Amino acid sequence: MSNWLIPLGRHDGPSRGRVVALPHAGGWPSAFASWRSRLPDDVELLVAQPPGHGARLSEEPLRRVEPMVAGLVEELSERGDLPTVIVGHSFGSVLAYAMARALEERGRPPLLLVVSAGQPPCFPRTAPFAHHRPDAELLEHLVMIGGVSTRLAERRELIDPILAAVRADLEAMETYGRPVTETAVPILAVGAVDDPVVVTRRMSLWSLETTGDFRWELFEGGHFSFYEPEVTDRVIDRVLTALPRTAETHRFRHSETPSPTTMRTYHEEILHI
């Protein structure tokens, strides 16, 4: 098994469901660290770690959505079949949408797709593209929206590979084409009233991307308020509503449950990049 998905936390009993979380552009698995203490022990939490992110920082980041989704879906299939909710923030919302569609095509659709702070694919990306920004301009933007601390921005040995991952993720997002047909997976869209990156009202148009149930909610805060405790708790409430109440309501596809591994400790300053 590879390291595309990092399990957070440990539990010995059967699982009633799984949350697959996909962070923002350049984001590390630690962005979703607070979710582990807020989710019940019988709900697995897997966080995406594509090349160029987290423990894979030294690897060349990918620049298209499709190979990222292929790696994530392949590893997820090795972990057995569980009722699943996929959650994506910012760039992660596009990756989550594409991943949900890929699982749907395999006959294993998630129960719910949660998208946060990312405009729907029905809005085509147009120039000027963010991934073409010079490093200094891109870094200034990340600091302004709260994605990188000023202290981290001064550490070139850390910020250079992080900027490379951010740029690659932005290119993947800005080159992703809207599929011809919608998904049937229910969608919950989450937006922030003071988000400087996304036009908040556009979050409601995620309704055009699904033939299933749709709901959208608006929270206080900016682009990264999704990771704040109050918002996290409310979103997790919605996620748990979608999952079964007990482990007996599903079966694993494989005969054995996947063995959980321990997540490495990440630098505190890189929680929100």
Side-chain angles (χ1 to χ4, degrees), residues 254-265:
H254 302 298
S255 59
E256 297 181 356
T257 60
S259 300
T261 58
T262 304
M263 170 188 165
R264 60 166 287 183
T265 301

Side-chain angles (χ1 to χ4, degrees), residues 227-250:
Y227 296 125
E228 296 300 321
E230 181 180 353
V231 177
T232 294
D233 288 343
R234 291 175 65 179
V235 174
I236 286 177
D237 284 345
R238 311 295 186 266
V239 167
L240 294 179
T241 299
L243 290 174
R245 294 186 179 182
T246 65
E248 285 72 28
T249 57
H250 75 271

